[in-house]
């Protein structure tokens, strides 16, 4: 069953147009969700807005947006005024430029969507755009109004389809200088670097998302199951803290452990793949 589209519009590159649809690529709906309950009655509680000065409840009709300009000073914005400030949507995803796929720092990535043809009539033009991006190994930059906000979108090929990732604006990305300014400049060389390079080289691999489990969600699921079955809840053991050792010793121990695991893995594979020796057939005795 085809999922419901989050947005439908027109993908436009110069004079080439294509009706497209955006579909959710990442969802949190499978995560365990909790409700807030009244411990005494077991009933769900409701959230209400309270006036911070009078303590009286404020009904929805009396709630209004306000921008703080100073201590307890606000500019009030009516819903109609906010609506007028939102850019009008023309439902056109207009491509302005093409960039190399690795040209943009992924810190600007916001949320990915699957981009697919909206109807059978658009499949040919979609295929042309897809093949052009794939052949040139580039991504397209486009802008449109998505969900009441003007968004910049990066469109790139993914298998037979395309992914459209909304991008953060420059003012939304905080400069790294503040976080890194206190890191001292240290000169590291010699055996330390060689050991680090050795460990990295031995553990080179490929990203497979199926190999990473969400232990937090799994733990919550087990907790809920145990409560339903009336089982005793056992707190997980806390990992023991290792002894404090110097960096060089830690690197040497790590390199030895990695080498041992690699040798063990290699030995196991060779045993598993080695052809079994054929049994020599017994000769029948002459009668």
């Amino acid at each position: 069953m085809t999922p419901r589209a989050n947005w439908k519009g027109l993908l436009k590159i110069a004079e080439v147009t294509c009706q497209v649809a955006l579909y959710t690529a990442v969802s949190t709906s499978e995560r365990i969700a909790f409700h807030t309950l009244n411990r005494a009655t077991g009933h769900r509680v409701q959230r209400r807005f309270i006036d911070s000065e009078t303590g009286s409840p404020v009904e929805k009709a009396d709630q209004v947006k306000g921008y703080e300009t100073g201590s307890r000073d606000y500019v009030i914005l009516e819903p109609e005024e906010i609506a007028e400030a939102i850019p009008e949507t023309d439902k056109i995803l207009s491509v302005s430029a093409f960039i190399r796929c690795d040209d943009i720092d992924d810190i600007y990535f916001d949320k990915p969507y699957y981009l697919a043809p909206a109807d059978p009539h658009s499949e040919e033009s979609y295929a042309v755009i897809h093949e052009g991006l794939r052949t040139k190994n580039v991504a397209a930059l486009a802008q449109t109004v998505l969900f009441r906000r003007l968004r910049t979108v990066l469109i790139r090929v993914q298998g037979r389809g395309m992914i459209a990732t909304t991008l953060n604006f420059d003012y939304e990305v905080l400069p790294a200088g503040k976080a890194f300014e206190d890191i001292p400049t240290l000169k590291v060389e010699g055996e330390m670097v060689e050991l680090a390079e050795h460990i990295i080289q031995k553990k080179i691999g490929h990203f497979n998302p199926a190999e990473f489990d969400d232990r937090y969600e799994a733990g919550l699921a087990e907790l809920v199951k145990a409560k339903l079955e009336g089982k005793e809840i056992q707190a997980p053991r806390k990992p023991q803290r290792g002894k404090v050792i110097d960096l060089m010793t830690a690197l040497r121990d790590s390199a030895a452990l990695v080498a041992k695991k690699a040798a063990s893995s290699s030995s196991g594979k060779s045993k598993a793949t080695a052809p079994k020796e054929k049994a020599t057939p017994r000769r029948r005795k002459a009668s």
Side-chain angles (χ1 to χ4, degrees):
M1 183 178 177
T2 305
R4 182 183 176 187
N6 297 79
W7 179 91
K8 287 186 178 182
L10 195 69
L11 175 60
K12 189 174 188 297
I13 302 178
E15 298 305 313
V16 179
T17 59
C18 173
Q19 291 287 342
V20 291
L22 288 180
Y23 298 93
T24 299
V26 177
S27 173
T28 59
S29 62
E30 296 301 313
R31 291 181 183 173
I32 291 178
F34 295 109
H35 297 291
T36 304
L37 309 177
N38 181 339
R39 186 190 296 273
T41 64
H43 302 155
R44 287 180 61 177
V45 300
Q46 294 181 342
R47 186 174 296 173
R48 301 186 71 182
F49 286 90
I50 304 296
D51 189 296
S52 60
E53 297 293 329
T54 66
S56 301
V58 181
E59 299 302 326
K60 189 172 182 179
D62 295 322
Q63 297 170 18
V64 67
K65 303 291 184 184
Y67 178 81
E68 188 173 11
T69 58
S71 180
R72 298 189 180 184
D73 289 329
Y74 299 90
V75 173
I76 293 178
L77 299 173
E78 298 294 340
E80 298 79 14
E81 295 172 324
I82 295 175
E84 289 177 2
I86 297 173
E88 288 188 14
T89 175
D90 53 11
K91 293 286 186 179
I92 297 178
L93 198 54
S94 183
V95 173
S96 58
F98 297 97
I99 62 173
R100 291 185 314 206
C101 290
D102 58 354
D103 259 3
I104 183 167
D105 193 323
D106 58 11
I107 198 171
Y108 287 93
F109 288 5
D110 177 35
K111 191 172 182 179
Y113 295 89
Y114 294 127
L115 186 70
D119 52 57
H121 301 291
S122 304
E123 291 173 354
E124 185 176 17
S125 52
Y126 181 92
V128 170
I129 295 170
H130 175 280
E131 187 61 17
L133 294 178
R134 189 194 66 80
T135 304
K136 290 295 184 181
N137 192 27
V138 295
L141 280 174
Q143 275 198 327
T144 192
V145 176
L146 290 176
F147 319 123
R148 305 184 72 185
R149 280 193 64 196
L150 180 66
R151 302 305 304 259
T152 305
V153 178
L154 181 76
I155 301 170
R156 62 192 192 279
V157 169
Q158 175 75 15
R160 291 186 299 171
M162 292 187 281
I163 291 180
T165 304
T166 53
L167 302 179
N168 295 313
F169 286 103
D170 190 46
Y171 74 87
E172 295 176 306
V173 177
L174 302 178
K178 293 282 185 182
F180 299 153
E181 63 185 359
D182 293 332
I183 299 177
T185 302
L186 300 177
K187 190 174 182 179
V188 184
E189 55 187 0
E191 187 182 357
M192 278 192 175
V193 177
E194 291 173 5
L195 285 168
E197 290 175 348
H198 174 74
I199 294 168
I200 292 169
Q201 182 60 39
K202 289 295 183 181
K203 293 184 75 69
I204 289 289
H206 299 282
F207 175 64
N208 179 6
E211 293 178 354
F212 297 89
D213 297 323
D214 190 340
R215 291 184 293 172
Y216 176 72
E217 285 292 309
L220 286 179
E222 287 296 322
L223 175 61
V224 171
K225 182 181 178 183
K227 295 278 282 187
L228 284 171
E229 296 175 353
K231 294 181 179 179
E232 183 181 351
I233 309 299
Q234 295 183 349
R237 291 181 180 179
K238 293 183 178 179
Q240 294 182 347
R241 292 187 177 181
K243 295 179 180 179
V244 178
I245 55 178
D246 65 274
L247 180 58
M248 180 61 80
T249 303
L251 284 168
R252 286 171 178 162
D253 290 348
S254 297
L257 182 62
V258 167
K260 185 178 179 181
K261 285 184 177 180
S264 175
S265 175
S266 175
S267 174
K269 285 181 180 179
S270 62
K271 286 181 181 179
T273 56
K276 290 184 178 180
E277 209 173 34
K278 291 184 179 180
T280 305
R282 292 181 180 180
R283 294 184 179 179
R284 295 180 61 185
K285 293 181 179 179
S287 52

